[in-house]
Amino acid sequence: MKASASVSETASAAASKDAEVLRALHHDRAAGDPLVLPGPWDAASARAFEAAGFPALAIPSAAVASSLGHEDGATPADEMFAAVARIVRAVSVPVTADLEGGYGLSAAELVERVRETGAVGVNLEDSDATSGLKDPEAHAEWLAEVRAAAGPGLFVNARIDTYLREDVADPAGEALARARLYAAAGADCVYPIKAPPADLPGLRAALGDLPVNALSLPDGPSLAELGRLGATRVTFGPGLLFRSLRGLAELAAEVRARTQ
């Protein structure tokens, strides 16, 4: 029993250290120099991004879903956690994972499942496909439970979905109100997904030192410009997978042409 406990304690200490590394990467960013986290969808892509020199990785649930043959938001929890574990095992840098709305798990259950994968960060969103945006105070309470269950050994990125909803009259104002609630609940970073670039300076100014995650889009500002506008961290969603698939489609067509 002592040996088993020692192994568990060692793993927990390593995870806490990686979470602190990830947390530190989000702070003291110079304008125009956001933390850029590419999104792997399997072990091979994770290794490629690590080899390129990225200090941490952010797994997008939509990319994992596509790689496993599921629609976005339809990946069974067990398959998602297994995919996250495979990616974490493949690299030596800290990994954070988009776990959608938490798969209906209690805060304690979610934290335990995350610990089992080895990931040291999570994205948790405040809407679902059936009922839309969640009540912000109830969601903040759940995030506080996640923080209490995890302690400092988990980096919590609270995704805010107001810009995804056509029925929100003031998505920027609602995003700011939710961001403040989630920060008070213990979130380390907020992610107003698809916030227009023009809204980033206002959000940045209003949120002070709280890190802000922005989504990089092919037709959007450069990574440096997103940083100058106020993004602390930039992620890609499933964009890098889709770009890779376009290259794969070209390769497939080339190989097919050689057989004719």
Side-chain angles (χ1 to χ4, degrees):
M1 291 293 293
K2 289 183 178 179
S4 177
S6 178
V7 170
S8 176
E9 290 170 1
T10 299
S12 178
S16 294
K17 180 179 178 181
D18 280 351
E20 284 306 312
V21 169
L22 182 61
R23 191 169 284 112
L25 287 169
H26 287 74
H27 292 279
D28 298 323
R29 310 298 307 187
D33 181 33
L35 174 63
V36 177
L37 299 180
W41 51 93
D42 60 13
S45 59
R47 287 176 176 142
F49 292 135
E50 181 183 31
F54 290 99
L57 305 176
I59 301 171
S61 62
V64 172
S66 181
S67 72
L68 295 176
H70 297 294
E71 294 296 321
D72 184 19
T75 307
D78 286 349
E79 290 190 41
M80 182 61 73
F81 286 116
V84 171
R86 287 192 294 270
I87 289 171
V88 172
R89 286 198 303 266
V91 296
S92 60
V93 296
V95 176
T96 180
D98 176 7
L99 298 179
E100 303 177 316
Y103 306 110
L105 299 172
S106 70
E109 290 171 325
L110 178 66
V111 169
E112 182 60 28
R113 295 295 300 272
V114 173
R115 282 177 175 156
E116 290 171 355
T117 69
V120 296
V122 290
N123 271 20
L124 297 171
E125 59 198 50
D126 64 356
S127 72
D128 60 50
T130 56
S131 58
L133 282 171
K134 298 176 182 177
D135 176 79
E137 293 187 356
H139 188 62
E141 183 176 337
W142 182 71
L143 289 176
E145 292 173 0
V146 171
R147 169 56 68 213
L154 187 70
F155 186 95
V156 177
N157 188 29
R159 202 182 90 174
I160 300 169
D161 289 359
T162 58
Y163 288 98
L164 302 181
R165 309 290 304 181
E166 295 181 356
D167 56 349
V168 177
D170 179 16
E174 180 67 15
L176 179 57
R178 287 171 177 260
R180 286 171 169 157
L181 279 173
Y182 303 162
D188 296 287
C189 181
V190 292
Y191 180 17
I193 187 170
K194 290 194 174 180
D199 285 2
L200 289 175
L203 288 168
R204 169 77 280 155
L207 292 173
D209 294 333
L210 183 68
V212 175
N213 189 160
L215 177 67
S216 175
L217 296 172
D219 57 351
S222 68
L223 302 177
E225 181 60 18
L226 286 172
R228 285 190 288 271
L229 288 169
T232 312
R233 153 177 165 164
V234 178
T235 51
F236 301 85
L240 299 179
L241 168 64
F242 295 157
R243 180 173 174 180
S244 297
L245 290 177
R246 288 195 293 272
L248 181 59
E250 293 173 2
L251 176 60
E254 177 188 332
V255 172
R256 178 61 178 160
R258 290 166 59 188
T259 68
Q260 297 175 341

